[in-house]
Amino acid sequence: MSVSPGKFLRDVRAEAERVTWPSRRATFITTGAVLAMAGLASVFFFVVDQLIGLGVRQLFGLGG
């Protein structure tokens, strides 16, 4: 079963018109939330990594 490229593009355009797109404000809020959570996660894992490294250095006397 083959479909012509023209029909495919018409179908894609028709489907895109039925999509409920988020508002600009909702997009900015969601993007801000994602960036904030990524920042918090990076700080959390940095602190955990430092604590584990400190524990290993204390336990084995490795590092500086």
Side-chain angles (χ1 to χ4, degrees), residues 16-41:
E17 289 174 359
R18 286 190 288 242
V19 172
T20 303
W21 298 102
S23 67
R24 179 178 292 272
R25 183 173 186 274
T27 302
F28 279 123
I29 289 172
T30 304
T31 301
V34 167
L35 293 175
M37 291 305 295
L40 286 172

Side-chain angles (χ1 to χ4, degrees), residues 8-21:
F8 173 75
L9 290 176
R10 282 190 299 276
D11 290 345
V12 168
R13 182 177 301 230
E15 189 67 30
E17 289 174 359
R18 286 190 288 242
V19 172
T20 303
W21 298 102

